[in-house]
Amino acid sequence: MIFHPVLNVFVLIILVGGGVFVTVRNIITAPTGARRWLWAERTLLVLLCFVMLLRPAVPGGQTQTLTTNTDILIAVDTTASIVAEDWGDGQPRLDGVRQDVQSIADTYPGARFALITFDAEPVLRLPFTTDANALMSSIDVLRPEVTGQSRGSSVGIAAQLVEQTLRSAAEAESGRDRSRMLFYLGDGEQTVSQSVESFSGAKKYVDGGRVLGYGTAEGGPMKITTGRADGEDPGYIEYQGANAMSVIDKTNLKQIGSDLGLEYEHRTADAEISLPDAPQSSTNYSEAGSTGNVTELFWIFALAVVGLLAFELARAAMMIAGMRGLRATKAGER
Protein backbone atom coordinates (compact mmCIF):
# COMPACT_ATOMS: atom_id res chain seq x y z
CA MET A 1 0.00 0.00 0.00
CA ILE A 2 1.17 3.52 -0.76
CA PHE A 3 0.12 6.90 0.64
CA HIS A 4 -0.23 10.41 -0.80
CA PRO A 5 -1.00 12.56 2.27
CA VAL A 6 -2.74 15.87 1.68
CA LEU A 7 -0.55 17.49 4.37
CA ASN A 8 2.80 16.71 5.89
CA VAL A 9 2.47 13.49 7.89
CA PHE A 10 3.87 15.11 11.06
CA VAL A 11 1.31 17.91 10.81
CA LEU A 12 -1.48 15.35 10.47
CA ILE A 13 -0.18 13.41 13.48
CA ILE A 14 -0.16 16.58 15.62
CA LEU A 15 -3.70 17.54 14.55
CA VAL A 16 -5.15 14.06 14.95
CA GLY A 17 -3.17 13.36 18.12
CA GLY A 18 -4.89 16.24 19.89
CA GLY A 19 -8.31 14.95 18.89
CA VAL A 20 -7.50 11.40 19.99
CA PHE A 21 -6.19 12.66 23.35
CA VAL A 22 -9.46 14.49 24.04
CA THR A 23 -11.69 11.58 23.04
CA VAL A 24 -9.67 8.94 24.94
CA ARG A 25 -9.67 11.09 28.07
CA ASN A 26 -13.46 11.36 27.86
CA ILE A 27 -13.73 7.58 27.45
CA ILE A 28 -11.81 7.12 30.69
CA THR A 29 -13.79 9.74 32.63
CA ALA A 30 -17.24 8.98 31.20
CA PRO A 31 -19.72 8.18 34.01
CA THR A 32 -21.72 5.55 32.07
CA GLY A 33 -21.13 2.81 29.54
CA ALA A 34 -23.29 4.60 26.97
CA ARG A 35 -21.13 7.70 27.22
CA ARG A 36 -17.98 5.58 26.83
CA TRP A 37 -19.35 4.02 23.65
CA LEU A 38 -20.20 7.47 22.31
CA TRP A 39 -16.67 8.77 22.84
CA ALA A 40 -15.24 5.56 21.41
CA GLU A 41 -17.25 6.24 18.25
CA ARG A 42 -15.80 9.75 18.14
CA THR A 43 -12.28 8.36 18.53
CA LEU A 44 -12.94 6.09 15.56
CA LEU A 45 -14.19 9.10 13.59
CA VAL A 46 -10.96 11.00 14.23
CA LEU A 47 -8.83 8.00 13.26
CA LEU A 48 -10.81 7.47 10.06
CA CYS A 49 -10.24 11.12 9.13
CA PHE A 50 -6.52 10.59 9.71
CA VAL A 51 -6.37 7.58 7.38
CA MET A 52 -8.51 9.35 4.78
CA LEU A 53 -6.16 12.35 4.76
CA LEU A 54 -3.22 9.99 4.25
CA ARG A 55 -4.86 9.06 0.89
CA PRO A 56 -4.04 5.35 0.87
CA ALA A 57 -3.83 3.57 -2.47
CA VAL A 58 -2.65 0.30 -3.93
CA PRO A 59 -0.57 -0.02 -7.10
CA GLY A 60 -2.76 -0.76 -10.09
CA GLY A 61 -2.16 -1.65 -13.69
CA GLN A 62 -0.62 0.30 -16.50
CA THR A 63 -2.52 2.93 -18.49
CA GLN A 64 -1.64 3.19 -22.15
CA THR A 65 -1.48 6.72 -23.51
CA LEU A 66 -2.20 7.26 -27.19
CA THR A 67 -1.27 10.09 -29.50
CA THR A 68 -1.78 10.76 -33.19
CA ASN A 69 0.88 12.10 -35.47
CA THR A 70 -1.01 15.34 -36.18
CA ASP A 71 -0.10 18.88 -35.19
CA ILE A 72 -3.00 21.36 -35.19
CA LEU A 73 -2.38 25.09 -35.11
CA ILE A 74 -5.38 27.31 -34.28
CA ALA A 75 -5.22 31.03 -35.10
CA VAL A 76 -7.93 33.16 -33.45
CA ASP A 77 -8.85 36.78 -34.15
CA THR A 78 -9.04 38.73 -30.86
CA THR A 79 -9.67 42.21 -32.26
CA ALA A 80 -12.62 44.22 -30.92
CA SER A 81 -14.84 42.90 -33.70
CA ILE A 82 -14.69 39.33 -32.37
CA VAL A 83 -17.20 40.33 -29.70
CA ALA A 84 -19.66 41.83 -32.19
CA GLU A 85 -23.07 40.57 -31.14
CA ASP A 86 -24.35 38.80 -34.23
CA TRP A 87 -23.74 35.17 -33.29
CA GLY A 88 -26.97 33.28 -32.71
CA ASP A 89 -29.48 35.31 -30.71
CA GLY A 90 -27.27 38.35 -30.14
CA GLN A 91 -24.31 36.59 -28.55
CA PRO A 92 -20.74 37.71 -29.25
CA ARG A 93 -18.85 35.98 -32.05
CA LEU A 94 -16.32 34.81 -29.49
CA ASP A 95 -18.93 32.40 -28.13
CA GLY A 96 -19.03 30.71 -31.51
CA VAL A 97 -15.25 30.62 -31.66
CA ARG A 98 -15.08 28.86 -28.30
CA GLN A 99 -17.67 26.28 -29.33
CA ASP A 100 -15.86 25.54 -32.57
CA VAL A 101 -12.46 25.18 -30.91
CA GLN A 102 -14.03 22.66 -28.55
CA SER A 103 -15.36 20.78 -31.59
CA ILE A 104 -11.88 20.79 -33.13
CA ALA A 105 -10.36 19.38 -29.94
CA ASP A 106 -13.05 16.69 -29.79
CA THR A 107 -12.71 15.75 -33.46
CA TYR A 108 -8.96 15.16 -33.38
CA PRO A 109 -8.24 13.39 -30.07
CA GLY A 110 -4.59 12.71 -29.40
CA ALA A 111 -3.34 15.50 -31.65
CA ARG A 112 -0.91 18.19 -30.54
CA PHE A 113 -2.52 21.63 -30.36
CA ALA A 114 -1.04 25.13 -30.48
CA LEU A 115 -2.85 28.47 -30.23
CA ILE A 116 -2.05 31.84 -31.81
CA THR A 117 -4.14 34.94 -31.17
CA PHE A 118 -3.86 38.17 -33.08
CA ASP A 119 -5.09 41.76 -32.80
CA ALA A 120 -2.57 44.60 -32.95
CA GLU A 121 0.13 41.92 -32.65
CA PRO A 122 0.16 38.13 -33.07
CA VAL A 123 1.01 36.07 -29.98
CA LEU A 124 1.74 32.37 -29.54
CA ARG A 125 -0.49 31.70 -26.53
CA LEU A 126 0.06 27.95 -26.33
CA PRO A 127 2.96 25.98 -27.83
CA PHE A 128 2.22 22.53 -29.23
CA THR A 129 0.87 20.22 -26.54
CA THR A 130 -1.26 17.09 -26.33
CA ASP A 131 -3.14 18.62 -23.40
CA ALA A 132 -6.52 19.54 -24.90
CA ASN A 133 -7.60 20.89 -21.51
CA ALA A 134 -4.80 23.45 -21.67
CA LEU A 135 -6.08 24.51 -25.09
CA MET A 136 -9.64 24.99 -23.84
CA SER A 137 -8.43 26.82 -20.73
CA SER A 138 -6.56 29.24 -22.99
CA ILE A 139 -9.66 29.73 -25.14
CA ASP A 140 -11.94 30.22 -22.14
CA VAL A 141 -9.90 33.14 -20.81
CA LEU A 142 -9.52 34.89 -24.18
CA ARG A 143 -10.59 38.51 -24.21
CA PRO A 144 -10.39 41.02 -27.08
CA GLU A 145 -7.86 43.82 -27.02
CA VAL A 146 -8.66 46.81 -24.82
CA THR A 147 -10.74 49.19 -26.92
CA GLY A 148 -8.90 52.31 -25.78
CA GLN A 149 -5.58 50.85 -26.95
CA SER A 150 -6.80 49.67 -30.34
CA ARG A 151 -5.15 51.31 -33.34
CA GLY A 152 -6.58 49.07 -36.02
CA SER A 153 -5.24 45.73 -37.19
CA SER A 154 -4.85 43.50 -40.19
CA VAL A 155 -6.50 40.10 -40.48
CA GLY A 156 -3.25 38.80 -41.94
CA ILE A 157 -0.96 40.10 -39.23
CA ALA A 158 -0.40 36.55 -37.93
CA ALA A 159 0.83 35.22 -41.30
CA GLN A 160 4.52 35.33 -40.41
CA LEU A 161 4.04 33.80 -36.95
CA VAL A 162 1.83 31.06 -38.40
CA GLU A 163 4.50 30.17 -40.96
CA GLN A 164 7.25 30.27 -38.36
CA THR A 165 5.31 28.05 -35.92
CA LEU A 166 4.45 25.46 -38.56
CA ARG A 167 7.96 25.47 -39.98
CA SER A 168 9.47 24.91 -36.54
CA ALA A 169 7.10 21.99 -35.94
CA ALA A 170 7.99 20.50 -39.33
CA GLU A 171 11.72 20.82 -38.74
CA ALA A 172 11.51 19.43 -35.20
CA GLU A 173 9.64 16.35 -36.42
CA SER A 174 11.60 15.89 -39.65
CA GLY A 175 11.49 12.27 -40.80
CA ARG A 176 8.70 11.25 -38.43
CA ASP A 177 5.84 11.47 -40.92
CA ARG A 178 3.79 13.98 -38.94
CA SER A 179 1.09 16.04 -40.57
CA ARG A 180 0.01 19.58 -39.78
CA MET A 181 -3.42 21.20 -39.85
CA LEU A 182 -4.30 24.87 -39.59
CA PHE A 183 -7.58 26.43 -38.49
CA TYR A 184 -8.01 30.17 -38.92
CA LEU A 185 -10.98 31.68 -37.01
CA GLY A 186 -11.97 35.29 -37.61
CA ASP A 187 -14.34 37.74 -39.28
CA GLY A 188 -11.99 39.04 -41.99
CA GLU A 189 -12.66 42.69 -41.17
CA GLN A 190 -9.62 44.78 -42.07
CA THR A 191 -9.37 47.94 -39.97
CA VAL A 192 -6.11 49.34 -41.37
CA SER A 193 -5.51 50.78 -44.83
CA GLN A 194 -2.83 48.30 -45.85
CA SER A 195 -3.61 45.18 -47.86
CA VAL A 196 -3.99 41.80 -46.15
CA GLU A 197 -0.70 39.98 -45.67
CA SER A 198 -0.40 36.74 -47.63
CA PHE A 199 -0.40 33.37 -45.89
CA SER A 200 1.03 31.62 -48.94
CA GLY A 201 4.40 31.13 -47.21
CA ALA A 202 2.78 28.70 -44.76
CA LYS A 203 1.00 26.65 -47.44
CA LYS A 204 3.79 24.09 -47.87
CA TYR A 205 3.56 23.21 -44.17
CA VAL A 206 -0.22 22.72 -44.15
CA ASP A 207 -1.83 19.32 -44.87
CA GLY A 208 -5.40 20.27 -44.02
CA GLY A 209 -7.69 22.50 -42.00
CA ARG A 210 -10.29 25.23 -42.53
CA VAL A 211 -10.76 28.98 -42.60
CA LEU A 212 -13.79 29.65 -40.39
CA GLY A 213 -15.65 32.93 -40.73
CA TYR A 214 -17.86 34.61 -38.12
CA GLY A 215 -20.32 37.48 -38.41
CA THR A 216 -23.08 38.67 -40.72
CA ALA A 217 -23.45 41.13 -43.56
CA GLU A 218 -25.83 43.16 -41.37
CA GLY A 219 -23.19 43.31 -38.66
CA GLY A 220 -23.36 43.52 -34.92
CA PRO A 221 -22.54 46.11 -32.23
CA MET A 222 -19.39 45.68 -30.16
CA LYS A 223 -19.08 46.09 -26.40
CA ILE A 224 -16.26 48.32 -25.18
CA THR A 225 -13.47 46.23 -23.65
CA THR A 226 -11.81 47.92 -20.68
CA GLY A 227 -9.67 45.10 -19.34
CA ARG A 228 -11.14 45.67 -15.85
CA ALA A 229 -13.20 43.20 -13.85
CA ASP A 230 -15.31 45.69 -11.88
CA GLY A 231 -18.61 44.37 -13.28
CA GLU A 232 -19.70 47.73 -14.72
CA ASP A 233 -21.26 47.79 -18.19
CA PRO A 234 -18.94 49.91 -20.35
CA GLY A 235 -21.50 50.24 -23.14
CA TYR A 236 -20.88 49.90 -26.86
CA ILE A 237 -18.29 51.30 -29.23
CA GLU A 238 -19.80 54.28 -31.04
CA TYR A 239 -19.21 55.87 -34.43
CA GLN A 240 -20.77 59.22 -35.37
CA GLY A 241 -23.23 59.09 -32.51
CA ALA A 242 -24.47 55.53 -33.10
CA ASN A 243 -23.28 52.03 -32.26
CA ALA A 244 -20.42 51.02 -34.52
CA MET A 245 -21.30 47.89 -36.49
CA SER A 246 -18.82 45.18 -37.45
CA VAL A 247 -19.55 43.14 -40.58
CA ILE A 248 -17.92 40.00 -41.88
CA ASP A 249 -15.60 40.28 -44.88
CA LYS A 250 -15.85 36.97 -46.69
CA THR A 251 -13.59 38.17 -49.50
CA ASN A 252 -10.61 38.49 -47.17
CA LEU A 253 -11.34 35.16 -45.50
CA LYS A 254 -11.62 33.35 -48.83
CA GLN A 255 -8.35 34.91 -49.91
CA ILE A 256 -6.66 33.59 -46.78
CA GLY A 257 -8.11 30.17 -47.56
CA SER A 258 -6.80 30.41 -51.12
CA ASP A 259 -3.33 31.33 -49.87
CA LEU A 260 -3.26 28.29 -47.63
CA GLY A 261 -5.06 25.86 -49.95
CA LEU A 262 -7.89 25.50 -47.43
CA GLU A 263 -11.65 25.65 -47.82
CA TYR A 264 -13.60 28.55 -46.35
CA GLU A 265 -16.64 27.87 -44.15
CA HIS A 266 -19.06 30.52 -42.91
CA ARG A 267 -20.12 29.70 -39.38
CA THR A 268 -23.56 30.30 -37.90
CA ALA A 269 -24.99 29.25 -34.56
CA ASP A 270 -27.70 27.09 -36.16
CA ALA A 271 -25.33 24.97 -38.27
CA GLU A 272 -22.97 22.19 -37.22
CA ILE A 273 -19.35 22.80 -38.00
CA SER A 274 -17.98 20.76 -40.91
CA LEU A 275 -14.46 19.61 -40.14
CA PRO A 276 -12.21 17.74 -42.58
CA ASP A 277 -10.80 14.31 -41.92
CA ALA A 278 -7.32 14.24 -40.51
CA PRO A 279 -4.64 13.67 -43.16
CA GLN A 280 -4.16 10.00 -44.02
CA SER A 281 -0.76 9.85 -42.36
CA SER A 282 -2.33 10.74 -39.02
CA THR A 283 -5.09 8.15 -38.83
CA ASN A 284 -2.95 5.49 -37.17
CA TYR A 285 -2.71 5.77 -33.42
CA SER A 286 0.62 5.05 -31.82
CA GLU A 287 1.47 4.13 -28.25
CA ALA A 288 3.25 7.00 -26.55
CA GLY A 289 4.16 4.79 -23.60
CA SER A 290 2.57 3.80 -20.34
CA THR A 291 2.17 5.49 -17.02
CA GLY A 292 1.91 3.89 -13.59
CA ASN A 293 -1.61 3.75 -12.20
CA VAL A 294 -2.93 3.42 -8.68
CA THR A 295 -6.28 2.56 -7.16
CA GLU A 296 -7.31 5.16 -4.59
CA LEU A 297 -8.78 3.83 -1.33
CA PHE A 298 -9.45 7.07 0.56
CA TRP A 299 -13.08 7.07 -0.59
CA ILE A 300 -13.79 3.96 1.51
CA PHE A 301 -12.75 5.80 4.67
CA ALA A 302 -14.59 8.92 3.48
CA LEU A 303 -17.83 6.92 3.29
CA ALA A 304 -17.28 5.66 6.84
CA VAL A 305 -16.65 9.24 8.02
CA VAL A 306 -19.87 10.40 6.34
CA GLY A 307 -21.78 7.59 8.05
CA LEU A 308 -20.47 8.48 11.51
CA LEU A 309 -21.13 12.18 10.94
CA ALA A 310 -24.69 11.32 9.90
CA PHE A 311 -25.09 9.41 13.18
CA GLU A 312 -23.80 12.42 15.15
CA LEU A 313 -26.18 14.77 13.32
CA ALA A 314 -29.15 12.45 13.88
CA ARG A 315 -28.29 12.17 17.57
CA ALA A 316 -27.98 15.95 17.87
CA ALA A 317 -31.33 16.44 16.12
CA MET A 318 -33.01 14.01 18.51
CA MET A 319 -31.54 15.81 21.51
CA ILE A 320 -32.73 19.19 20.21
CA ALA A 321 -36.20 17.79 19.55
CA GLY A 322 -36.28 16.28 23.03
CA MET A 323 -35.27 19.56 24.66
CA ARG A 324 -37.98 21.44 22.74
CA GLY A 325 -40.56 18.87 23.83
CA LEU A 326 -39.46 19.21 27.44
CA ARG A 327 -39.75 23.00 27.33
CA ALA A 328 -43.21 22.71 25.79
CA THR A 329 -44.31 20.33 28.56
CA LYS A 330 -43.05 22.68 31.29
CA ALA A 331 -44.79 25.61 29.63
CA GLY A 332 -48.08 23.66 29.59
CA GLU A 333 -47.79 22.82 33.26
CA ARG A 334 -47.62 26.51 34.09
Side-chain angles (χ1 to χ4, degrees):
M1 182 175 290
I2 57 178
F3 299 91
H4 299 102
V6 298
L7 294 173
N8 185 282
V9 174
F10 295 105
V11 174
L12 288 177
I13 291 175
I14 293 172
L15 294 175
V16 173
V20 171
F21 173 78
V22 172
T23 56
V24 171
R25 187 183 64 179
N26 280 281
I27 292 174
I28 296 172
T29 59
T32 64
R35 297 291 296 179
R36 292 192 187 95
W37 278 110
L38 179 61
W39 282 105
E41 175 264 329
R42 290 170 178 170
T43 303
L44 177 61
L45 176 61
V46 174
L47 292 174
L48 286 172
C49 288
F50 175 66
V51 178
M52 178 184 69
L53 293 174
L54 287 176
R55 285 188 61 199
V58 293
Q62 297 291 311
T63 300
Q64 299 297 320
T65 58
L66 300 175
T67 61
T68 60
N69 55 340
T70 302
D71 292 335
I72 298 178
L73 176 59
I74 300 173
V76 177
D77 180 349
T78 51
T79 58
S81 60
I82 203 62
V83 292
E85 297 175 349
D86 56 359
W87 172 264
D89 188 21
Q91 284 79 43
R93 296 170 187 169
L94 189 55
D95 285 1
V97 168
R98 291 191 176 109
Q99 293 171 23
D100 288 346
V101 172
Q102 181 68 70
S103 296
I104 292 170
D106 294 341
T107 302
Y108 308 103
R112 294 198 314 170
F113 297 95
L115 175 66
I116 287 176
T117 63
F118 58 93
D119 37 58
E121 296 290 340
V123 179
L124 179 62
R125 297 287 180 186
L126 182 72
F128 280 110
T129 176
T130 56
D131 189 351
N133 290 328
L135 170 67
M136 294 314 304
S137 295
S138 298
I139 288 293
D140 288 342
V141 300
L142 278 188
R143 297 294 183 271
E145 61 181 337
V146 175
T147 305
Q149 299 175 0
S150 177
R151 297 296 181 268
S153 61
S154 171
V155 296
I157 196 170
Q160 185 175 352
L161 182 57
V162 165
E163 179 183 353
Q164 176 185 330
T165 304
L166 291 174
R167 182 176 65 248
S168 297
E171 292 173 350
E173 301 296 335
S174 178
R176 297 191 182 183
D177 193 28
R178 292 191 67 87
S179 58
R180 287 161 298 281
M181 302 181 75
L182 171 64
F183 291 91
Y184 178 105
L185 295 80
D187 53 38
E189 188 175 34
Q190 187 84 347
T191 57
V192 292
S193 58
Q194 68 189 55
S195 58
V196 177
E197 296 89 336
S198 174
F199 281 81
S200 57
K203 183 177 181 179
K204 59 184 175 182
Y205 303 112
V206 177
D207 300 306
R210 279 282 192 280
V211 173
L212 304 174
Y214 302 81
T216 60
E218 296 77 17
M222 299 163 283
K223 285 274 191 181
I224 295 173
T225 303
T226 63
R228 301 195 305 268
D230 51 19
E232 294 185 6
D233 185 353
Y236 290 89
I237 299 173
E238 294 187 355
Y239 177 71
Q240 295 183 347
N243 287 342
M245 304 294 284
S246 170
V247 298
I248 189 172
D249 191 325
K250 295 183 180 180
T251 301
N252 284 339
L253 294 170
K254 290 178 180 178
Q255 181 58 52
I256 293 172
S258 177
D259 290 345
L260 293 164
L262 301 177
E263 292 184 16
Y264 165 73
E265 179 180 347
H266 180 225
R267 295 292 299 120
T268 58
D270 58 357
E272 292 291 330
I273 189 172
S274 173
L275 295 173
D277 294 333
Q280 187 64 36
S281 64
S282 67
T283 57
N284 295 322
Y285 283 75
S286 59
E287 292 188 2
S290 60
T291 56
N293 194 19
V294 296
T295 301
E296 297 276 6
L297 300 178
F298 75 92
W299 61 271
I300 299 174
F301 301 94
L303 288 177
V305 168
V306 170
L308 292 178
L309 288 175
F311 167 76
E312 289 283 349
L313 289 174
R315 180 177 173 277
M318 292 175 62
M319 291 179 62
I320 293 172
M323 292 175 64
R324 288 177 176 174
L326 181 61
R327 284 198 297 267
T329 301
K330 289 182 177 179
E333 292 175 353
R334 292 175 185 171

